Amino acid sequence: MLPVEVKELVVEFGQVRAVHGVDLSVTAGSAVALVGRNGAGKSTTMRALAGTVPPTGGSIRIAGVDVAADPVDAKKHLGYCPDVGGLIPRATAWEHLQLSASIRRMPSGWQDRATALLERFDLGDAADRITAGFSHGMGRRLSVILAAFHDPQVLLLDEPFDGVDPLGVDATLELISEARLRGSAVLVSTHLLALAVQSCDEAVVLRGGRVVSSAPTDDLAGDAGALRYKHLLGTGHAEGPAPP
Amino acid sequence: MTAVHQVRVLLALRWKMLRSVKARLAVVAGMGVAAGLILGVATVAGSLSREFEQGATVLLPALLATFIVLAVVGGLAAGGGTEIIPAGQLITYPISPRAIYLGSVALAPLNFAWAAQIVVLVGMVVYLATPRSAAPLGVLLLLTFAGTSTALGLAVSWFIVGIRQNQVGRWVTTSLGLLTVAVAILAALTGVLRALIENPLLINLAQSLTRPLSATALGWFAALALLSVTAATLGSQACNWSLRRRDVPTGTQDSRRHLRRNPKSSAWRETVAVDRGSVWRSRPIRRGLVLMGLAPGVAAAVSAVGWEDLVVLPPLVAAGAALLFAINVLSLDGPGALWLESTPRSPALALASKAWVSGEVVLFTVACSMLVITVALGPPQQPRLALTLALSMAVGVVWAVALALRRSVRTPNKADLQSARDTPGPPAAMLAHAVRLTTFAIVPGVGFTLLLVAGPWWLLLVFAAGMLGLAALHVRHTWQDWSRPAWRALVVTRVARG
């Protein structure tokens, strides 16, 4: 059983088809990066995986559970950091963790893990402040904490590095590594290629809602990798033929 | 570009922001319903016999005084009045303080309390007009009075908002505000307030409204026009001063540390606690609730009315409280709605928690207003009257919450509800919500008032059961929409991002 198994995923918003027949799978202990330009369908794919947007067609299985058939059960196995904020404006950071622990019926002792995560992401002093007063980077860091807090089998991180300072980026990379060591499947959606290469071992390139390439992230590393990536995005900025 | 031109441009932009034809038609229909309601009230009032003339004559100056007070308090509660477009979205544009102030004046009629008072006052003026054929002139004078009071009230509120821009100012104004409320209640209890309201100037104005062909009425027209120009000038300056005086770092309120509470015993209780916090930590909601909880009660308490006349009040107060947040209650989660939707929480729990918190907050507000009246008038003595008031309260709260919940799921939008001037919806949508909620609030209010004076007591229970049944139907339809994953996704996306 694969932790993440997506077949022929289609997501439509009225007349607009945001995702066209995406196939995707993530094995336990591995990390896959979803990369592509703005509007490529990365966040929509992530939302469909997280169960916040219902697929128009195809199927999604999280830890063997069909998301469409049993969304509540599927959501027990995943942790999701949305691309926009993802935080309740007038709840404190601690209240977010308290709510998550309660909804997920986490055993007592979750407070120690919550405190440790907040400290690691340099949010210990802000734990009792409402998130409306957080900077963008602080909000991103707390969103990552909330996604990983309950050690989910599937970790979905949508733009986790966006606007985050270098220390926050390091903490996030460390957290992804730990999740993989624990056997979690990690899916990272980002437009920052270098960090995708650093955090994941496979990259899926999306363009116009379709998968245009799926390859080891090493193939996208360095200058040659960046050039190849630009060709895959179809930007037309890359000169010469696409590297092999 | 003059301030008036800027206001026109902003209003046009707001209109263009209504993308769908349906939304534009809804705005036009809403305005039509509001105008129709005023015309309907005027027509009915004009055809009534004059048996209540004496009581109405005594009541009119009190209502005028209440209007003036609420013009200031309402402006204060909204941090200077309603915004045509949120300030955050206009930060790169040179919108003048005068345009901001004039925009607040222009949008004042979209305020629920303002509109409700105008409906009542139009009815009173038409009813008391002598001769009846001169009533339109009386209404015109009333609208001039309303415009002047609003301009003046907003000028005063901008001045106070300016004083409150630092710690000392906030301390001073809060202390003075509490002192004023205490003195007003004491004055109401000792009868001094009644004497203050029945001052010659207000009585003279009331007489001019009801005898609009008199020379005094002409004098009032001129005086009010002059006063409104003065108020507009002062208001623009107060707004300018207030906006320039901001020495409080933005977000001071948001960086405060909150006491950590113990974990709740269930996901339901935890969700309710978070939703409750989202309501009470919001400045515009908190201020609005205080206003809705105290103002109608104080106004009723100082007016020459008895409990029999106040049966209609609980549903109206409930509608007013629901307008502050419950009509877009899912926006309390903001961007967090996306994260919450990814947690293994049942959709029913999410919606039920919002309904519960809406219910308790609306009930609390209605109870506060009833308590203020009880302090002033004493508890209702007749069992039938007490039963009617209790049923009016219960039905009013359930109705308001059921209708608001339906709106929350059908027409959700992003709303920060963080700064004092934030509202749960754009001005046009707020007008539509206000008209809809007021209209529906009047149904149980009038129904109970009629049943109080006629019919057997058990009919009250039958009527209440019928109204609650209709509210249950609303809730059922709301749940049907919310339980559809595609619709829920639409709602969540809208409140998270706009």
Side-chain angles (χ1 to χ4, degrees), chain A residues 47 50-54 72 75-76 78 80 82-92 94-96 98-100 102-104 110-111 125-130 132-133 146, chain B residues 254-258 260-263 266-267 270-271 274 277-278 281-282 285 332-336 338-347 416-418 485-486 489 493 497:
Chain A
R47 286 183 188 189
T52 62
V53 169
V72 174
K75 288 170 185 176
K76 285 178 186 165
L78 62 85
Y80 171 55
D83 60 328
V84 280
L87 303 174
I88 305 163
R90 286 178 295 281
T92 66
W94 187 259
E95 284 164 355
H96 278 82
Q98 205 159 277
L99 180 61
S100 180
S102 174
I103 291 172
R104 296 181 185 282
W110 60 263
Q111 290 89 341
D125 286 344
D128 297 312
R129 281 168 48 191
I130 60 170
L146 287 170
Chain B
D254 300 341
S255 60
R256 197 161 61 88
R257 280 194 169 74
H258 293 267
R260 206 173 275 190
R261 59 174 165 73
N262 289 327
S266 66
E270 194 66 53
T271 308
V274 169
S278 290
R281 286 174 185 165
S282 160
I285 299 178
L332 291 177
D333 290 336
L338 274 174
W339 167 68
L340 283 168
E341 187 61 14
S342 76
T343 61
R345 186 177 73 154
S346 81
D416 289 339
L417 293 172
Q418 199 66 17
T493 310
R497 192 162 225 170

Side-chain angles (χ1 to χ4, degrees), chain A residues 120-173:
Chain A
R120 188 203 282 193
F121 279 79
D122 200 20
L123 289 171
D125 286 344
D128 297 312
R129 281 168 48 191
I130 60 170
T131 62
F134 278 19
S135 69
H136 177 73
M138 288 167 80
R140 289 282 72 201
R141 281 182 274 151
L142 179 58
S143 264
V144 170
I145 292 175
L146 287 170
F149 176 43
H150 53 290
D151 290 336
Q153 248 180 294
V154 175
L155 184 58
L156 305 170
L157 303 175
D158 196 353
E159 300 292 358
F161 309 112
D162 187 37
V164 176
D165 60 41
L167 293 179
V169 168
D170 284 348
T172 305
L173 290 171

